[in-house]
PDB file of all heavy atoms in Angstrom:
ATOM      1  N   ILE P   1      14.079 -10.390  -9.541  1.00 70.00           N
ATOM      2  CA  ILE P   1      13.402 -10.870 -10.791  1.00 70.00           C
ATOM      3  C   ILE P   1      13.215 -12.441 -10.876  1.00 70.00           C
ATOM      4  O   ILE P   1      12.383 -12.896 -11.553  1.00 70.00           O
ATOM      5  CB  ILE P   1      14.100 -10.388 -12.085  1.00 70.00           C
ATOM      6  CG1 ILE P   1      15.475 -10.973 -12.236  1.00 70.00           C
ATOM      7  CG2 ILE P   1      14.193  -8.917 -12.108  1.00 70.00           C
ATOM      8  CD1 ILE P   1      16.104 -10.635 -13.526  1.00 70.00           C
ATOM      9  N   LEU P   2      14.054 -13.065  -9.999  1.00 69.00           N
ATOM     10  CA  LEU P   2      13.910 -14.581  -9.986  1.00 69.00           C
ATOM     11  C   LEU P   2      12.602 -14.951  -9.332  1.00 69.00           C
ATOM     12  O   LEU P   2      12.123 -16.069  -9.480  1.00 69.00           O
ATOM     13  CB  LEU P   2      15.083 -15.154  -9.283  1.00 69.00           C
ATOM     14  CG  LEU P   2      16.473 -14.906  -9.912  1.00 69.00           C
ATOM     15  CD1 LEU P   2      17.549 -15.445  -8.993  1.00 69.00           C
ATOM     16  CD2 LEU P   2      16.559 -15.457 -11.259  1.00 69.00           C
ATOM     17  N   TYR P   3      12.055 -14.060  -8.573  1.00 77.00           N
ATOM     18  CA  TYR P   3      10.790 -14.317  -7.765  1.00 77.00           C
ATOM     19  C   TYR P   3       9.555 -13.748  -8.400  1.00 77.00           C
ATOM     20  O   TYR P   3       8.489 -13.830  -7.805  1.00 77.00           O
ATOM     21  CB  TYR P   3      10.944 -13.898  -6.337  1.00 77.00           C
ATOM     22  CG  TYR P   3      12.136 -14.461  -5.649  1.00 77.00           C
ATOM     23  CD1 TYR P   3      13.286 -13.818  -5.466  1.00 77.00           C
ATOM     24  CD2 TYR P   3      12.066 -15.763  -5.165  1.00 77.00           C
ATOM     25  CE1 TYR P   3      14.405 -14.345  -4.862  1.00 77.00           C
ATOM     26  CE2 TYR P   3      13.163 -16.415  -4.548  1.00 77.00           C
ATOM     27  CZ  TYR P   3      14.315 -15.599  -4.373  1.00 77.00           C
ATOM     28  OH  TYR P   3      15.398 -16.209  -3.807  1.00 77.00           O
ATOM     29  N   LEU P   4       9.674 -13.179  -9.580  1.00 82.00           N
ATOM     30  CA  LEU P   4       8.563 -12.494 -10.301  1.00 82.00           C
ATOM     31  C   LEU P   4       7.736 -13.561 -11.023  1.00 82.00           C
ATOM     32  O   LEU P   4       8.255 -14.133 -12.029  1.00 82.00           O
ATOM     33  CB  LEU P   4       8.992 -11.383 -11.187  1.00 82.00           C
ATOM     34  CG  LEU P   4       9.466 -10.134 -10.484  1.00 82.00           C
ATOM     35  CD1 LEU P   4       9.937  -9.083 -11.534  1.00 82.00           C
ATOM     36  CD2 LEU P   4       8.440  -9.479  -9.565  1.00 82.00           C
ATOM     37  N   THR P   5       6.567 -13.821 -10.579  1.00 86.00           N
ATOM     38  CA  THR P   5       5.617 -14.693 -11.299  1.00 86.00           C
ATOM     39  C   THR P   5       4.319 -13.950 -11.321  1.00 86.00           C
ATOM     40  O   THR P   5       4.136 -12.986 -10.665  1.00 86.00           O
ATOM     41  CB  THR P   5       5.419 -15.970 -10.556  1.00 86.00           C
ATOM     42  OG1 THR P   5       4.849 -15.696  -9.222  1.00 86.00           O
ATOM     43  CG2 THR P   5       6.782 -16.708 -10.247  1.00 86.00           C
ATOM     44  N   PRO P   6       3.373 -14.459 -12.130  1.00 89.00           N
ATOM     45  CA  PRO P   6       2.074 -13.726 -12.086  1.00 89.00           C
ATOM     46  C   PRO P   6       1.446 -13.709 -10.723  1.00 89.00           C
ATOM     47  O   PRO P   6       0.815 -12.692 -10.437  1.00 89.00           O
ATOM     48  CB  PRO P   6       1.241 -14.628 -13.112  1.00 89.00           C
ATOM     49  CG  PRO P   6       2.241 -15.235 -14.014  1.00 89.00           C
ATOM     50  CD  PRO P   6       3.489 -15.449 -13.235  1.00 89.00           C
ATOM     51  N   VAL P   7       1.697 -14.673  -9.952  1.00 92.00           N
ATOM     52  CA  VAL P   7       1.165 -14.689  -8.513  1.00 92.00           C
ATOM     53  C   VAL P   7       1.802 -13.661  -7.709  1.00 92.00           C
ATOM     54  O   VAL P   7       1.159 -12.856  -7.035  1.00 92.00           O
ATOM     55  CB  VAL P   7       1.209 -16.108  -7.940  1.00 92.00           C
ATOM     56  CG1 VAL P   7       0.870 -16.039  -6.472  1.00 92.00           C
ATOM     57  CG2 VAL P   7       0.420 -17.096  -8.670  1.00 92.00           C
ATOM     58  N   THR P   8       3.141 -13.573  -7.682  1.00 90.00           N
ATOM     59  CA  THR P   8       3.764 -12.627  -6.837  1.00 90.00           C
ATOM     60  C   THR P   8       3.578 -11.166  -7.301  1.00 90.00           C
ATOM     61  O   THR P   8       3.436 -10.295  -6.486  1.00 90.00           O
ATOM     62  CB  THR P   8       5.326 -12.859  -6.809  1.00 90.00           C
ATOM     63  OG1 THR P   8       5.852 -12.843  -8.132  1.00 90.00           O
ATOM     64  CG2 THR P   8       5.612 -14.206  -6.149  1.00 90.00           C
ATOM     65  N   VAL P   9       3.439 -10.997  -8.618  1.00 91.00           N
ATOM     66  CA  VAL P   9       3.140  -9.597  -9.193  1.00 91.00           C
ATOM     67  C   VAL P   9       1.745  -9.230  -8.691  1.00 91.00           C
ATOM     68  O   VAL P   9       1.502  -8.111  -8.277  1.00 91.00           O
ATOM     69  CB  VAL P   9       3.320  -9.549 -10.673  1.00 91.00           C
ATOM     70  CG1 VAL P   9       2.782  -8.276 -11.219  1.00 91.00           C
ATOM     71  CG2 VAL P   9       4.827  -9.699 -10.990  1.00 91.00           C
ATOM     72  N   SER P  10       0.773 -10.151  -8.854  1.00 93.00           N
ATOM     73  CA  SER P  10      -0.609  -9.869  -8.431  1.00 93.00           C
ATOM     74  C   SER P  10      -0.730  -9.532  -6.948  1.00 93.00           C
ATOM     75  O   SER P  10      -1.421  -8.639  -6.511  1.00 93.00           O
ATOM     76  CB  SER P  10      -1.522 -10.995  -8.785  1.00 93.00           C
ATOM     77  OG  SER P  10      -1.482 -11.315 -10.210  1.00 93.00           O
ATOM     78  N   LEU P  11      -0.011 -10.367  -6.137  1.00 94.00           N
ATOM     79  CA  LEU P  11      -0.050 -10.155  -4.683  1.00 94.00           C
ATOM     80  C   LEU P  11       0.618  -8.786  -4.365  1.00 94.00           C
ATOM     81  O   LEU P  11       0.131  -8.083  -3.449  1.00 94.00           O
ATOM     82  CB  LEU P  11       0.675 -11.338  -3.937  1.00 94.00           C
ATOM     83  CG  LEU P  11      -0.123 -12.654  -3.957  1.00 94.00           C
ATOM     84  CD1 LEU P  11       0.743 -13.718  -3.355  1.00 94.00           C
ATOM     85  CD2 LEU P  11      -1.437 -12.511  -3.238  1.00 94.00           C
ATOM     86  N   THR P  12       1.654  -8.461  -5.095  1.00 92.00           N
ATOM     87  CA  THR P  12       2.294  -7.191  -4.781  1.00 92.00           C
ATOM     88  C   THR P  12       1.406  -6.037  -5.161  1.00 92.00           C
ATOM     89  O   THR P  12       1.286  -5.053  -4.402  1.00 92.00           O
ATOM     90  CB  THR P  12       3.570  -7.103  -5.620  1.00 92.00           C
ATOM     91  OG1 THR P  12       4.469  -8.141  -5.283  1.00 92.00           O
ATOM     92  CG2 THR P  12       4.311  -5.749  -5.395  1.00 92.00           C
ATOM     93  N   LEU P  13       0.716  -6.119  -6.293  1.00 94.00           N
ATOM     94  CA  LEU P  13      -0.179  -5.027  -6.631  1.00 94.00           C
ATOM     95  C   LEU P  13      -1.415  -4.935  -5.725  1.00 94.00           C
ATOM     96  O   LEU P  13      -1.794  -3.829  -5.405  1.00 94.00           O
ATOM     97  CB  LEU P  13      -0.686  -5.277  -8.095  1.00 94.00           C
ATOM     98  CG  LEU P  13       0.330  -5.081  -9.157  1.00 94.00           C
ATOM     99  CD1 LEU P  13      -0.204  -5.471 -10.498  1.00 94.00           C
ATOM    100  CD2 LEU P  13       0.847  -3.580  -9.186  1.00 94.00           C
ATOM    101  N   ILE P  14      -1.956  -6.084  -5.307  1.00 96.00           N
ATOM    102  CA  ILE P  14      -3.096  -6.059  -4.331  1.00 96.00           C
ATOM    103  C   ILE P  14      -2.584  -5.433  -3.007  1.00 96.00           C
ATOM    104  O   ILE P  14      -3.270  -4.555  -2.438  1.00 96.00           O
ATOM    105  CB  ILE P  14      -3.632  -7.437  -4.077  1.00 96.00           C
ATOM    106  CG1 ILE P  14      -4.311  -7.956  -5.402  1.00 96.00           C
ATOM    107  CG2 ILE P  14      -4.513  -7.516  -2.903  1.00 96.00           C
ATOM    108  CD1 ILE P  14      -4.684  -9.435  -5.306  1.00 96.00           C
ATOM    109  N   GLY P  15      -1.327  -5.789  -2.544  1.00 95.00           N
ATOM    110  CA  GLY P  15      -0.821  -5.198  -1.347  1.00 95.00           C
ATOM    111  C   GLY P  15      -0.643  -3.704  -1.419  1.00 95.00           C
ATOM    112  O   GLY P  15      -0.982  -2.981  -0.471  1.00 95.00           O
ATOM    113  N   LEU P  16      -0.070  -3.233  -2.593  1.00 95.00           N
ATOM    114  CA  LEU P  16       0.118  -1.799  -2.806  1.00 95.00           C
ATOM    115  C   LEU P  16      -1.205  -1.042  -2.868  1.00 95.00           C
ATOM    116  O   LEU P  16      -1.305   0.008  -2.221  1.00 95.00           O
ATOM    117  CB  LEU P  16       0.946  -1.643  -4.063  1.00 95.00           C
ATOM    118  CG  LEU P  16       2.401  -1.981  -3.984  1.00 95.00           C
ATOM    119  CD1 LEU P  16       2.999  -1.920  -5.413  1.00 95.00           C
ATOM    120  CD2 LEU P  16       3.174  -1.033  -3.085  1.00 95.00           C
ATOM    121  N   ILE P  17      -2.208  -1.559  -3.579  1.00 95.00           N
ATOM    122  CA  ILE P  17      -3.468  -0.935  -3.679  1.00 95.00           C
ATOM    123  C   ILE P  17      -4.130  -0.845  -2.260  1.00 95.00           C
ATOM    124  O   ILE P  17      -4.615   0.205  -1.886  1.00 95.00           O
ATOM    125  CB  ILE P  17      -4.370  -1.615  -4.637  1.00 95.00           C
ATOM    126  CG1 ILE P  17      -3.860  -1.479  -6.107  1.00 95.00           C
ATOM    127  CG2 ILE P  17      -5.822  -1.186  -4.552  1.00 95.00           C
ATOM    128  CD1 ILE P  17      -4.528  -2.444  -7.123  1.00 95.00           C
ATOM    129  N   THR P  18      -3.988  -1.890  -1.501  1.00 96.00           N
ATOM    130  CA  THR P  18      -4.560  -1.921  -0.161  1.00 96.00           C
ATOM    131  C   THR P  18      -3.872  -0.893   0.730  1.00 96.00           C
ATOM    132  O   THR P  18      -4.524  -0.137   1.483  1.00 96.00           O
ATOM    133  CB  THR P  18      -4.493  -3.320   0.429  1.00 96.00           C
ATOM    134  OG1 THR P  18      -5.167  -4.276  -0.413  1.00 96.00           O
ATOM    135  CG2 THR P  18      -5.146  -3.371   1.828  1.00 96.00           C
ATOM    136  N   ALA P  19      -2.563  -0.865   0.703  1.00 96.00           N
ATOM    137  CA  ALA P  19      -1.796   0.059   1.519  1.00 96.00           C
ATOM    138  C   ALA P  19      -2.047   1.495   1.133  1.00 96.00           C
ATOM    139  O   ALA P  19      -2.258   2.354   2.030  1.00 96.00           O
ATOM    140  CB  ALA P  19      -0.254  -0.248   1.381  1.00 96.00           C
ATOM    141  N   VAL P  20      -2.125   1.817  -0.145  1.00 96.00           N
ATOM    142  CA  VAL P  20      -2.385   3.146  -0.547  1.00 96.00           C
ATOM    143  C   VAL P  20      -3.776   3.576  -0.119  1.00 96.00           C
ATOM    144  O   VAL P  20      -4.095   4.699   0.309  1.00 96.00           O
ATOM    145  CB  VAL P  20      -2.165   3.356  -2.053  1.00 96.00           C
ATOM    146  CG1 VAL P  20      -2.606   4.726  -2.546  1.00 96.00           C
ATOM    147  CG2 VAL P  20      -0.694   3.129  -2.371  1.00 96.00           C
ATOM    148  N   ALA P  21      -4.730   2.702  -0.299  1.00 95.00           N
ATOM    149  CA  ALA P  21      -6.190   3.015   0.135  1.00 95.00           C
ATOM    150  C   ALA P  21      -6.209   3.259   1.586  1.00 95.00           C
ATOM    151  O   ALA P  21      -6.903   4.165   2.045  1.00 95.00           O
ATOM    152  CB  ALA P  21      -7.080   1.849  -0.293  1.00 95.00           C
ATOM    153  N   ALA P  22      -5.503   2.465   2.395  1.00 96.00           N
ATOM    154  CA  ALA P  22      -5.476   2.604   3.837  1.00 96.00           C
ATOM    155  C   ALA P  22      -4.778   3.938   4.136  1.00 96.00           C
ATOM    156  O   ALA P  22      -5.244   4.657   5.142  1.00 96.00           O
ATOM    157  CB  ALA P  22      -4.624   1.519   4.482  1.00 96.00           C
ATOM    158  N   GLY P  23      -3.746   4.352   3.473  1.00 95.00           N
ATOM    159  CA  GLY P  23      -3.100   5.642   3.667  1.00 95.00           C
ATOM    160  C   GLY P  23      -3.995   6.804   3.361  1.00 95.00           C
ATOM    161  O   GLY P  23      -4.002   7.788   4.055  1.00 95.00           O
ATOM    162  N   ALA P  24      -4.806   6.696   2.265  1.00 94.00           N
ATOM    163  CA  ALA P  24      -5.686   7.764   1.903  1.00 94.00           C
ATOM    164  C   ALA P  24      -6.789   7.847   2.991  1.00 94.00           C
ATOM    165  O   ALA P  24      -7.227   9.007   3.455  1.00 94.00           O
ATOM    166  CB  ALA P  24      -6.364   7.444   0.536  1.00 94.00           C
ATOM    167  N   TRP P  25      -7.323   6.715   3.542  1.00 94.00           N
ATOM    168  CA  TRP P  25      -8.294   6.732   4.599  1.00 94.00           C
ATOM    169  C   TRP P  25      -7.706   7.391   5.791  1.00 94.00           C
ATOM    170  O   TRP P  25      -8.375   8.152   6.541  1.00 94.00           O
ATOM    171  CB  TRP P  25      -8.746   5.295   4.826  1.00 94.00           C
ATOM    172  CG  TRP P  25      -9.778   5.264   5.951  1.00 94.00           C
ATOM    173  CD1 TRP P  25     -11.177   5.359   5.849  1.00 94.00           C
ATOM    174  CD2 TRP P  25      -9.501   5.054   7.332  1.00 94.00           C
ATOM    175  NE1 TRP P  25     -11.766   5.277   7.051  1.00 94.00           N
ATOM    176  CE2 TRP P  25     -10.752   5.018   8.032  1.00 94.00           C
ATOM    177  CE3 TRP P  25      -8.349   4.800   8.046  1.00 94.00           C
ATOM    178  CZ2 TRP P  25     -10.857   4.877   9.375  1.00 94.00           C
ATOM    179  CZ3 TRP P  25      -8.450   4.672   9.446  1.00 94.00           C
ATOM    180  CH2 TRP P  25      -9.706   4.718  10.076  1.00 94.00           C
ATOM    181  N   TRP P  26      -6.493   6.960   6.172  1.00 94.00           N
ATOM    182  CA  TRP P  26      -5.819   7.477   7.342  1.00 94.00           C
ATOM    183  C   TRP P  26      -5.679   8.998   7.319  1.00 94.00           C
ATOM    184  O   TRP P  26      -5.940   9.708   8.197  1.00 94.00           O
ATOM    185  CB  TRP P  26      -4.451   6.819   7.552  1.00 94.00           C
ATOM    186  CG  TRP P  26      -3.747   7.078   8.763  1.00 94.00           C
ATOM    187  CD1 TRP P  26      -4.234   7.860   9.892  1.00 94.00           C
ATOM    188  CD2 TRP P  26      -2.409   6.710   9.105  1.00 94.00           C
ATOM    189  NE1 TRP P  26      -3.250   7.895  10.806  1.00 94.00           N
ATOM    190  CE2 TRP P  26      -2.149   7.194  10.374  1.00 94.00           C
ATOM    191  CE3 TRP P  26      -1.482   5.971   8.429  1.00 94.00           C
ATOM    192  CZ2 TRP P  26      -0.867   7.062  11.019  1.00 94.00           C
ATOM    193  CZ3 TRP P  26      -0.191   5.808   9.027  1.00 94.00           C
ATOM    194  CH2 TRP P  26       0.012   6.328  10.290  1.00 94.00           C
ATOM    195  N   ARG P  27      -5.277   9.435   6.058  1.00 93.00           N
ATOM    196  CA  ARG P  27      -5.097  10.884   5.918  1.00 93.00           C
ATOM    197  C   ARG P  27      -6.398  11.645   6.085  1.00 93.00           C
ATOM    198  O   ARG P  27      -6.351  12.825   6.542  1.00 93.00           O
ATOM    199  CB  ARG P  27      -4.479  11.178   4.509  1.00 93.00           C
ATOM    200  CG  ARG P  27      -4.043  12.590   4.356  1.00 93.00           C
ATOM    201  CD  ARG P  27      -3.228  12.779   3.064  1.00 93.00           C
ATOM    202  NE  ARG P  27      -3.918  13.712   2.255  1.00 93.00           N
ATOM    203  CZ  ARG P  27      -3.482  14.143   1.093  1.00 93.00           C
ATOM    204  NH1 ARG P  27      -2.346  13.592   0.601  1.00 93.00           N
ATOM    205  NH2 ARG P  27      -4.096  14.985   0.320  1.00 93.00           N
ATOM    206  N   SER P  28      -7.525  11.075   5.680  1.00 90.00           N
ATOM    207  CA  SER P  28      -8.760  11.782   5.823  1.00 90.00           C
ATOM    208  C   SER P  28      -9.230  11.778   7.313  1.00 90.00           C
ATOM    209  O   SER P  28     -10.055  12.661   7.659  1.00 90.00           O
ATOM    210  CB  SER P  28      -9.861  11.144   4.963  1.00 90.00           C
ATOM    211  OG  SER P  28     -10.198   9.882   5.486  1.00 90.00           O
ATOM    212  N   HIS P  29      -8.749  10.843   8.139  1.00 91.00           N
ATOM    213  CA  HIS P  29      -9.127  10.825   9.557  1.00 91.00           C
ATOM    214  C   HIS P  29      -8.110  11.435  10.494  1.00 91.00           C
ATOM    215  O   HIS P  29      -8.492  11.948  11.545  1.00 91.00           O
ATOM    216  CB  HIS P  29      -9.424   9.358   9.883  1.00 91.00           C
ATOM    217  CG  HIS P  29     -10.737   8.865   9.362  1.00 91.00           C
ATOM    218  ND1 HIS P  29     -10.808   8.451   8.067  1.00 91.00           N
ATOM    219  CD2 HIS P  29     -11.926   8.714   9.839  1.00 91.00           C
ATOM    220  CE1 HIS P  29     -12.060   8.087   7.786  1.00 91.00           C
ATOM    221  NE2 HIS P  29     -12.719   8.236   8.879  1.00 91.00           N
ATOM    222  N   ALA P  30      -6.875  11.313  10.201  1.00 93.00           N
ATOM    223  CA  ALA P  30      -5.805  11.860  11.111  1.00 93.00           C
ATOM    224  C   ALA P  30      -4.703  12.435  10.194  1.00 93.00           C
ATOM    225  O   ALA P  30      -3.670  11.756  10.001  1.00 93.00           O
ATOM    226  CB  ALA P  30      -5.280  10.745  12.041  1.00 93.00           C
ATOM    227  N   PRO P  31      -4.924  13.603   9.606  1.00 93.00           N
ATOM    228  CA  PRO P  31      -4.005  14.161   8.603  1.00 93.00           C
ATOM    229  C   PRO P  31      -2.586  14.323   9.088  1.00 93.00           C
ATOM    230  O   PRO P  31      -1.617  13.991   8.299  1.00 93.00           O
ATOM    231  CB  PRO P  31      -4.586  15.478   8.209  1.00 93.00           C
ATOM    232  CG  PRO P  31      -5.889  15.585   8.861  1.00 93.00           C
ATOM    233  CD  PRO P  31      -6.057  14.459   9.803  1.00 93.00           C
ATOM    234  N   THR P  32      -2.360  14.770  10.294  1.00 95.00           N
ATOM    235  CA  THR P  32      -1.004  14.990  10.822  1.00 95.00           C
ATOM    236  C   THR P  32      -0.217  13.768  10.844  1.00 95.00           C
ATOM    237  O   THR P  32       0.975  13.682  10.462  1.00 95.00           O
ATOM    238  CB  THR P  32      -1.090  15.811  12.107  1.00 95.00           C
ATOM    239  OG1 THR P  32      -1.796  17.014  11.921  1.00 95.00           O
ATOM    240  CG2 THR P  32       0.410  16.155  12.511  1.00 95.00           C
ATOM    241  N   SER P  33      -0.747  12.763  11.611  1.00 96.00           N
ATOM    242  CA  SER P  33      -0.027  11.516  11.826  1.00 96.00           C
ATOM    243  C   SER P  33       0.185  10.765  10.484  1.00 96.00           C
ATOM    244  O   SER P  33       1.195  10.177  10.218  1.00 96.00           O
ATOM    245  CB  SER P  33      -0.674  10.629  12.809  1.00 96.00           C
ATOM    246  OG  SER P  33      -1.976  10.262  12.405  1.00 96.00           O
ATOM    247  N   ALA P  34      -0.783  10.852   9.572  1.00 95.00           N
ATOM    248  CA  ALA P  34      -0.691  10.176   8.320  1.00 95.00           C
ATOM    249  C   ALA P  34       0.400  10.880   7.453  1.00 95.00           C
ATOM    250  O   ALA P  34       1.129  10.201   6.713  1.00 95.00           O
ATOM    251  CB  ALA P  34      -2.023  10.253   7.500  1.00 95.00           C
ATOM    252  N   LEU P  35       0.480  12.174   7.566  1.00 95.00           N
ATOM    253  CA  LEU P  35       1.485  12.921   6.843  1.00 95.00           C
ATOM    254  C   LEU P  35       2.862  12.540   7.300  1.00 95.00           C
ATOM    255  O   LEU P  35       3.801  12.245   6.490  1.00 95.00           O
ATOM    256  CB  LEU P  35       1.279  14.376   6.955  1.00 95.00           C
ATOM    257  CG  LEU P  35       2.226  15.354   6.247  1.00 95.00           C
ATOM    258  CD1 LEU P  35       1.917  15.278   4.690  1.00 95.00           C
ATOM    259  CD2 LEU P  35       2.094  16.761   6.703  1.00 95.00           C
ATOM    260  N   ILE P  36       3.083  12.489   8.547  1.00 96.00           N
ATOM    261  CA  ILE P  36       4.393  12.097   9.103  1.00 96.00           C
ATOM    262  C   ILE P  36       4.734  10.654   8.694  1.00 96.00           C
ATOM    263  O   ILE P  36       5.902  10.345   8.288  1.00 96.00           O
ATOM    264  CB  ILE P  36       4.365  12.175  10.685  1.00 96.00           C
ATOM    265  CG1 ILE P  36       4.266  13.682  11.084  1.00 96.00           C
ATOM    266  CG2 ILE P  36       5.617  11.516  11.314  1.00 96.00           C
ATOM    267  CD1 ILE P  36       3.981  13.884  12.539  1.00 96.00           C
ATOM    268  N   ALA P  37       3.765   9.708   8.859  1.00 96.00           N
ATOM    269  CA  ALA P  37       4.035   8.333   8.370  1.00 96.00           C
ATOM    270  C   ALA P  37       4.423   8.266   6.955  1.00 96.00           C
ATOM    271  O   ALA P  37       5.355   7.528   6.551  1.00 96.00           O
ATOM    272  CB  ALA P  37       2.809   7.512   8.752  1.00 96.00           C
ATOM    273  N   ALA P  38       3.672   9.003   6.096  1.00 96.00           N
ATOM    274  CA  ALA P  38       3.889   8.867   4.697  1.00 96.00           C
ATOM    275  C   ALA P  38       5.351   9.465   4.417  1.00 96.00           C
ATOM    276  O   ALA P  38       6.046   8.906   3.491  1.00 96.00           O
ATOM    277  CB  ALA P  38       2.858   9.752   3.921  1.00 96.00           C
TER     278      ALA P  38
END
């Protein structure tokens, strides 16, 4: 919590959104490997 600032929270959310979008894309192209990775 000492490192939580508007910038770090925003970067964290952007990173999470990007990672989840990439995971959804991966699942649509290679479901088995994406499932194992998830």
Side-chain angles (χ1 to χ4, degrees):
I1 67 176
L2 301 176
Y3 302 102
L4 288 179
T5 65
V7 172
T8 57
V9 170
S10 299
L11 290 174
T12 301
L13 290 174
I14 290 168
L16 286 170
I17 291 167
T18 304
V20 173
W25 179 87
W26 186 8
R27 188 169 121 178
S28 70
H29 287 79
T32 304
S33 60
L35 183 70
I36 292 168

